[in-house]
């Protein structure tokens, strides 16, 4: 029973949802990352151009506050659409890793990185990808973002739903709670490097990140 439970748990660890089911795949420094989305209704207009803007927003190397890894994160839809419309079958989205350098992490073969999931992953599964955190890397979120872009398009077209989110806290600096009652747009969120729509708070957040970076320290984030 224990063995069977563990096997089933391993098989479903990267799949989320029921009616709208998302499976993410890929590691930080493998050939590519992405997702398979099942449950998307047929006859919805969908091309890579609908997904790309959100992947471009999350791509690394956009400022000195983030990882210097240089990736374009261009998405390709490999299945589930034809002629710009969904077929009602699983949609596979793939982003190729261009700046993959597993050799940069050679010393991590024996010593797990502090404040990362390397050790936890090793203990739980008995193996891990030592280069860049593997599945525990922020690269894994590419599949989630791509799937989210598809879901967002359907929600907007079906119910007129609009979704906007922002960075509300960095370490001990928190944005005002009343931001949630205001009309915030994505343009407002993207107006600064930390993506907090409160200008004064954003400046404090940026300064805190820069101070930690100067000390070669971290206060969270991917």
């Amino acid at each position: 029973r224990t063995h069977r439970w563990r096997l089933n748990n391993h098989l479903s660890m990267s799949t989320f949802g029921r009616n709208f089911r998302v499976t993410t795949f890929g590691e930080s420094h493998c050939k590519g990352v992405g997702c398979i989305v099942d449950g998307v209704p047929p006859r919805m207009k969908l091309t890579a151009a609908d997904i790309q803007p959100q992947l471009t927003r999350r791509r690394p190397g956009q400022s000195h506050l983030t990882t210097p890894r240089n990736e374009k994160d261009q998405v390709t839809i490999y299945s589930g659409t034809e002629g710009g419309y969904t077929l009602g079958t699983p949609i596979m989205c793939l982003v190729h890793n261009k700046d993959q350098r597993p050799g940069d992490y050679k010393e991590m073969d024996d010593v797990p990185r502090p404040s990362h999931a390397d050790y936890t992953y090793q203990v739980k599964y008995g193996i891990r990808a030592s280069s860049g955190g593997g599945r525990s890397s922020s690269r894994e979120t590419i599949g989630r973002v791509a799937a989210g872009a598809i879901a967002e398009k359907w929600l907007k077209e079906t119910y007129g739903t609009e979704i906007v989110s922002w960075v509300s806290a960095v370490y001990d600096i928190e944005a005002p709670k009343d931001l949630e009652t205001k009309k915030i747009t994505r343009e407002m969120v993207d107006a600064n490097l930390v993506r907090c729509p409160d200008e004064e708070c954003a400046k404090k957040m940026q300064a805190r990140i820069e101070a930690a970076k100067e000390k070669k320290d971290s206060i969270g984030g991917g």
Side-chain angles (χ1 to χ4, degrees):
R1 287 184 179 180
T2 301
H3 177 73
R4 184 177 301 171
W5 178 87
R6 287 179 176 174
L7 178 61
N8 290 337
N9 187 50
H10 290 180
L11 291 175
S12 63
M13 68 181 181
S14 297
T15 300
F16 312 88
R18 293 186 178 182
N19 295 332
F20 184 85
R21 180 164 295 191
V22 178
T23 300
T24 64
F25 61 83
E27 291 81 43
S28 181
H29 287 269
C30 70
K31 298 297 183 182
V33 291
C35 65
I36 297 174
V37 184
D38 199 4
V40 180
R43 300 185 302 278
M44 182 179 81
K45 287 185 178 181
L46 183 70
T47 66
D50 295 307
I51 302 171
Q52 190 58 52
Q54 298 310 316
L55 290 176
T56 299
R57 292 180 76 220
R58 76 151 297 284
R59 64 176 289 270
Q62 296 189 48
S63 77
H64 66 285
L65 301 181
T66 67
T67 172
R69 182 171 177 172
N70 184 24
E71 295 281 3
K72 299 301 181 184
D73 288 349
Q74 296 294 317
V75 66
T76 301
I77 298 177
Y78 276 83
S79 68
T81 67
E82 185 172 290
Y85 287 85
T86 58
L87 299 171
T89 55
I91 297 172
M92 175 187 167
C93 299
L94 175 66
V95 170
H96 290 283
N97 287 331
K98 301 294 185 181
D99 188 16
Q100 48 171 311
R101 294 175 292 177
D104 288 357
Y105 298 87
K106 188 64 178 177
E107 69 276 12
M108 300 303 169
D109 288 347
D110 301 315
V111 181
R113 289 186 297 172
S115 301
H116 287 71
D118 293 25
Y119 178 75
T120 305
Y121 208 101
Q122 180 73 42
V123 170
K124 186 173 184 179
Y125 300 113
I127 194 172
R128 63 186 170 87
S130 58
S131 56
R135 290 286 296 160
S136 304
S137 166
S138 293
R139 293 294 290 168
E140 189 270 347
T141 63
I142 283 178
R144 302 183 188 225
V145 171
I150 297 172
E152 180 185 43
K153 180 176 173 65
W154 182 82
L155 286 170
K156 186 170 185 179
E157 292 182 353
T158 306
Y159 298 107
T161 303
E162 293 188 10
I163 302 171
V164 179
S165 61
W166 58 86
V167 173
S168 60
V170 170
Y171 197 54
D172 58 352
I173 301 172
E174 295 188 7
K177 297 293 185 183
D178 64 357
L179 283 178
E180 299 175 7
T181 64
K182 298 179 179 180
K183 178 65 175 179
I184 305 295
T185 65
R186 281 188 177 164
E187 289 72 23
M188 295 168 64
V189 172
D190 292 347
N192 60 71
L193 297 181
V194 294
R195 290 186 172 147
C196 174
D198 184 276
E199 186 176 351
E200 290 303 315
C201 191
K203 290 179 181 178
K204 294 178 182 178
M205 289 177 175
Q206 180 171 334
R208 181 57 59 87
I209 296 171
E210 290 171 340
K213 187 176 181 180
E214 180 69 22
K215 297 178 181 178
K216 300 187 183 301
D217 200 355
S218 171
I219 50 176

